[in-house]
Amino acid sequence: MTPRWSNRRRDKQEQRVHEVETQATFLLPGGYRAPDGELHREVELAPLSGREEERLAHCEPSTGGATLTMLLTSCVRRLGAVSPVSSDIVRRLLIADRHYLLLKLREATFGDRVQATVQCPWEECRKKVDIDFSLHDIPVRASEDKGPLYTRELSPAAAFSGERGEQYREVTFRLPTSEDQEVISHVVEDNEAQALALLLARCIRRLGPLHDPGPEVIHRLSPLARMEIERHLEEAAPQVDLTLAAYCPECEREFAVPFDLREFFLAECKTSCDLLYREVHYLAYHYHWSEQEIMTLPREKRRKYIAVLAEELRRVSHAV
Ligand SMILES: [Zn+2]
């Protein structure tokens, strides 16, 4: 039986459930260049709700990239003039823009503080080190030139030789996207040099007089030329620096550690479907909200209502 007090509050609570969705609005450090050439930078992002958690519970843990694409596609409500935003567009975002969206999604869902554990990298120590930081402290650099194409000159030593010995130094490229990252991800672990060559083949649009030079030409680039082009790519791209400075109290050494925010966030989000459905049932039973309404609540909000409800039920049962 529904306790009497919940009926008394029903109107007020029903009114509130529609107001809780809070969206964050911000600019991407790079931006999405649509096929018509227009640049879209302003994002409207909603926090994670029960709907995404339900889908997340069914995802394989090994498919982190695809899972994040699914979450972002669902939570990015608008990108400039583009709405809805398809998974293809999310995949074509610049790498730093995707990192930035992940940062913002984490903040919208759980707040900006991150408490995590990393491992001390020193071979003889390897102790677990607690880190505690704010997402606001992560350095973000917007790109000045929004491209989409960039032309740079290689040093004379890095010049590319044509078939008759001509020397070419001008290179035109676009910036890498998460789609590129996805494609090269299976190569990166085995062979970093090959992964870079594959990435360059996708991003380089012109080398001297050669348009879309392709993997064979890229293969003939000297290691110095590849290194210079990689540096130009990095300098032109927006940056989200997820390298953290940490201190190990055990061996008293400082170290820098790349923080895998994606893995951390996906682990935080993972709720079992069982628990999710029990929470939905609990709220539906006492507040008389529909399943649809409860599943669209951001998770923190849902948990807060559950905590308030549990407290109230405790008080009622003590009063009896
Ligand atoms: Zn240590």
Side-chain angles (χ1 to χ4, degrees), residues 1 3-4 7 47 66 73 162-163 165 172 193 213 215-216 232 240 249 251 253 261 274 301-302 305:
M1 235 182 92
R4 242 177 314 144
N7 289 345
T73 304
E163 284 181 357
T172 300
E216 241 170 71
H232 285 309
V240 174
C251 67
R253 275 185 287 209
L261 185 59
D274 264 10
K301 213 83 191 185
R302 189 179 75 231
Y305 278 123

Side-chain angles (χ1 to χ4, degrees), residues 94-298:
L94 300 180
I95 292 165
D97 282 346
R98 187 177 165 97
H99 283 153
Y100 194 66
L101 282 175
L102 172 59
L103 220 76
K104 290 292 187 185
L105 183 59
R106 165 46 163 83
E107 190 184 344
T109 308
F110 301 119
D112 68 298
R113 293 308 303 184
V114 174
Q115 286 170 324
T117 309
V118 294
Q119 196 177 36
C120 175
W122 295 95
E123 201 60 55
E124 65 277 15
C125 177
R126 295 275 177 203
K127 287 283 185 310
K128 287 200 183 306
V129 177
D130 293 329
I131 49 171
D132 180 343
F133 63 96
S134 164
L135 294 176
H136 299 156
D137 296 337
I138 290 177
V140 176
R141 189 194 74 199
S143 52
E144 281 168 30
D145 178 355
K146 299 296 182 193
L149 294 179
Y150 303 80
T151 298
R152 299 288 185 271
E153 198 171 358
L154 299 177
S155 69
F160 172 73
S161 302
E163 284 181 357
R164 271 172 260 110
E166 333 75 293
Q167 300 281 293
Y168 302 117
R169 289 171 56 194
E170 215 177 67
V171 56
T172 300
F173 56 84
R174 65 164 175 82
L175 297 176
T177 63
S178 16
E179 194 176 28
D180 298 316
Q181 223 176 13
E182 228 171 86
V183 171
I184 66 162
S185 63
H186 62 280
V187 186
V188 173
E189 281 169 29
D190 306 336
N191 189 333
E192 223 170 289
Q194 200 192 335
L196 175 61
L198 193 59
L199 182 72
L200 294 183
R202 292 175 64 88
C203 292
I204 294 177
R205 286 302 165 83
R206 188 174 61 79
L207 201 56
L210 302 172
H211 286 268
D212 290 321
E216 241 170 71
V217 174
I218 302 303
H219 202 71
R220 280 161 43 210
L221 283 173
S222 67
L224 177 65
R226 289 185 205 187
M227 206 182 73
E228 284 187 15
I229 298 171
E230 191 187 14
R231 207 187 56 222
H232 285 309
L233 282 170
E234 276 172 16
E235 282 170 2
Q239 299 286 342
V240 174
D241 189 356
L242 284 165
T243 310
L244 300 175
Y247 172 76
C248 175
E250 190 71 24
C251 67
E252 302 185 332
R253 275 185 287 209
E254 284 178 10
F255 60 93
V257 60
F259 184 65
D260 193 336
L261 185 59
R262 183 179 82 189
E263 197 184 314
F264 179 79
F265 178 63
L266 291 182
E268 264 183 320
C269 294
K270 199 97 183 174
T271 313
S272 76
C273 260
D274 264 10
L275 178 62
L276 175 65
Y277 294 149
R278 265 184 279 139
E279 288 180 355
V280 171
H281 167 78
Y282 189 64
L283 290 176
Y285 182 80
H286 292 290
Y287 284 144
H288 309 284
W289 294 335
S290 70
E291 194 246 14
Q292 170 94 11
E293 283 175 311
I294 298 167
M295 289 294 267
T296 54
L297 280 174

Side-chain angles (χ1 to χ4, degrees), residues 74-95:
S74 181
C75 295
V76 174
R77 297 293 157 84
R78 180 176 65 78
L79 172 53
V82 183
S83 179
V85 177
S86 69
S87 57
D88 279 345
I89 291 179
V90 169
R91 228 175 270 124
R92 267 179 251 137
L93 290 175
L94 300 180
I95 292 165

